[in-house]
Amino acid sequence: MSGRPFLFAFLALAVFTAACSDSPDILLQGQKKPVAPQGPQTGGPETSGPVLDPSTGGSASDPSGSLPGGSSPATPSEPRPGPIATQPPVSTPGSGGSEPSRPAPRPSVRYRLFCEDRYPPYVNAISSLASPTGFGARISIGEPDAQGVFDPENRNLEYHEHPQPVYLTKDSQGRLLFSAARKGGSAIRAERDIFIADIHLIDRWGRAKSLGPELRIGRDLIYAAETETLSLRTFAVSDQGRYLLVGRANGYALIDSKTLREVGVIAVGSAALNFNPSLRESDMVFAVSSFPDVRAGTFETRLYSIGLSGAGTSRAAISSTKLISQTGALRRPLVAVSSRAGDAFAALDAKNHVAVVSPLKASGQEKAVKLNQIPSEGRLSSAMAFWREGGRLRAAYAFENIEQSGSGFSVRYKIKQVFVRIVELNESTLSSSRVGSDLTYPEDAQEVIERGIGIARVPGATELTAFADGKAIFGLFPGTRSFHVHRLTSSGLTRVSQIDCSNVSVGVEP
């Protein structure tokens, strides 16, 4: 009898260890100090790796822009690791009663999701292969000191926001764009810079370089965007990773992501009023949005055609900026349906129709596609993912009928109806048809909503995003403290790790 307590304790310890261990597919290690490369160093005897050189974007010892560890990013004229080349999608007619042609995970493809977590926010990297109980990895990113020495254990940047992969390599290295504040500042939230960092995903560290101050958006605009659970930003990476877009007082600086050389400025007005930029490289269509009337609470998205002289060379420069489309009364800014040249942009408008804009077509630039069979009570989330499948335009959206009870610290919510639906948008008939049955809203998200814990100003999904041709679709749904990443699969919505996230972006390891 006296041995039973020890036996029970041993069994409890074994169960706890098994439950809390990391998922084996994450392939991440604990933080390590970077190993100094062999050979002479230019940053002093303590230099732990190449330091980004302001004039070239490379290191002081390697002006070609090599990443730590010897890997070199592709040059602008070479193929760059970016959206993976996938097999042609299978065409499946979309009808209300048909089985869904939903994205299914492919074990050979590892997507990397980047986001910031809370209290305070730092960059997290999550593998798309992570299980619901797995963990991501917090990346320790900082600047080298005045002597060029970088210590990943001495995190000197904090309050990271909007991390976006520029590109990744197959040896789990890459380059990342984000904004952050330096530690020790008198006004942490006001004095921020935009940084680019060469990162090591396995060792969980990254060496950063400032690209200049972050132009901040007014609080009134941020508050207006929160009604659509949308976060605003003044910087971005082009869809193939060749260029960076950095907000300035007169527009957006277009910067080569390898050399960090400024190609020119897209003069569209102050980035404090013109936000959430994007650039599709295949046809150089630039999108930027604004609030013409904050009281109306709707967005306007303008599309521009950007001309480059000497494109693909070290002397490339912006030669023209032409406004080609202007669409208002949108609940969210327009997003590119695909990376294919000439393809459409889409978003939900104030009438709960999908605005489909084809900016390079001479006629029929803008269409409004009706979403059929929407319940009469509840809220259609403006967080929507768009993609092409067999040439057909498809979308995924969340519908949320959530009733609030109580207020202040005692606020609670009652869920009456929530689901995620995939539809096919017919650009000829301007109507939609459901593809398969509705997906069950994540159960863990429903539990969090009903408990009223960690809820944003508007409870519900904040993001849905489709990668490449729709073979990978991810969403952010309410979590305990912030939001959790879920992936749409053939079996429904599956949570990807238990890490809290905001502002997720997706890259792929080639």
Side-chain angles (χ1 to χ4, degrees), residues 229-245:
T229 66
L230 177 69
S231 182
L232 305 183
R233 52 181 168 74
T234 59
F235 58 96
V237 179
S238 62
D239 66 340
Q240 301 295 314
R242 188 186 302 271
Y243 300 107
L244 312 176
L245 300 164

Side-chain angles (χ1 to χ4, degrees), residues 206-279:
R207 182 181 291 103
K209 168 184 163 42
S210 171
L211 297 178
E214 179 187 17
L215 201 59
R216 301 294 281 174
I217 298 171
R219 181 58 201 168
D220 56 336
L221 302 182
I222 294 175
Y223 187 80
E226 286 176 351
T227 61
E228 295 295 343
T229 66
L230 177 69
S231 182
L232 305 183
R233 52 181 168 74
T234 59
F235 58 96
V237 179
S238 62
D239 66 340
Q240 301 295 314
R242 188 186 302 271
Y243 300 107
L244 312 176
L245 300 164
V246 176
R248 301 280 173 80
N250 60 339
Y252 281 88
L254 187 64
I255 299 173
D256 185 285
S257 66
K258 176 180 179 285
T259 65
L260 302 188
R261 185 185 71 85
E262 187 171 308
V263 178
V265 174
I266 305 173
V268 293
S270 173
L273 300 173
N274 299 279
F275 37 78
N276 288 39
S278 69
L279 177 65

Side-chain angles (χ1 to χ4, degrees), residues 213-438:
E214 179 187 17
L215 201 59
R216 301 294 281 174
I217 298 171
R219 181 58 201 168
D220 56 336
L221 302 182
I222 294 175
Y223 187 80
E226 286 176 351
T227 61
E228 295 295 343
T229 66
L230 177 69
S231 182
L232 305 183
R233 52 181 168 74
T234 59
F235 58 96
V237 179
S238 62
D239 66 340
Q240 301 295 314
R242 188 186 302 271
Y243 300 107
L244 312 176
L245 300 164
V246 176
R248 301 280 173 80
N250 60 339
Y252 281 88
L254 187 64
I255 299 173
D256 185 285
S257 66
K258 176 180 179 285
T259 65
L260 302 188
R261 185 185 71 85
E262 187 171 308
V263 178
V265 174
I266 305 173
V268 293
S270 173
L273 300 173
N274 299 279
F275 37 78
N276 288 39
S278 69
L279 177 65
R280 185 165 63 191
E281 292 183 23
S282 59
D283 53 15
M284 293 301 287
V285 172
F286 171 77
V288 70
S289 298
S290 61
F291 274 124
D293 184 356
V294 177
R295 293 171 297 179
T298 56
F299 295 91
E300 176 185 84
T301 298
R302 305 187 306 279
L303 303 179
Y304 296 84
S305 177
I306 306 301
L308 287 183
S309 61
T313 71
S314 61
R315 295 183 180 182
I318 293 178
S319 58
S320 63
T321 300
K322 179 183 177 182
L323 178 66
I324 53 177
S325 177
Q326 192 167 343
T327 305
L330 298 170
R331 287 182 57 190
R332 281 210 181 193
L334 292 172
V335 296
V337 167
S338 76
S339 59
R340 182 171 58 86
D343 207 348
F345 288 71
L348 192 67
D349 69 15
K351 295 181 179 179
N352 283 344
H353 293 172
V354 176
V356 181
V357 181
S358 302
L360 300 183
K361 291 185 178 180
S363 60
Q365 284 192 349
E366 184 178 340
K367 300 175 181 178
V369 181
K370 182 181 179 181
L371 293 174
N372 300 322
Q373 299 179 328
I374 300 295
S376 58
E377 294 184 5
R379 177 179 182 271
L380 177 62
S381 173
S382 62
M384 299 184 71
F386 301 96
W387 69 97
R388 292 278 180 192
E389 188 164 339
R392 296 178 173 89
L393 178 57
R394 293 200 169 176
Y397 64 81
F399 183 84
E400 299 154 341
N401 188 359
I402 302 170
E403 190 176 83
Q404 180 178 335
S405 62
S407 60
F409 291 105
S410 61
V411 64
R412 289 292 185 272
Y413 296 91
K414 179 182 179 181
I415 294 177
K416 303 181 73 173
Q417 183 182 24
V418 287
F419 60 82
V420 174
R421 177 176 293 174
I422 296 177
V423 295
E424 184 169 299
L425 305 173
N426 192 312
E427 297 171 82
S428 298
T429 64
L430 302 184
S431 63
S432 66
S433 56
R434 185 168 53 187
V435 179
S437 57
D438 294 332

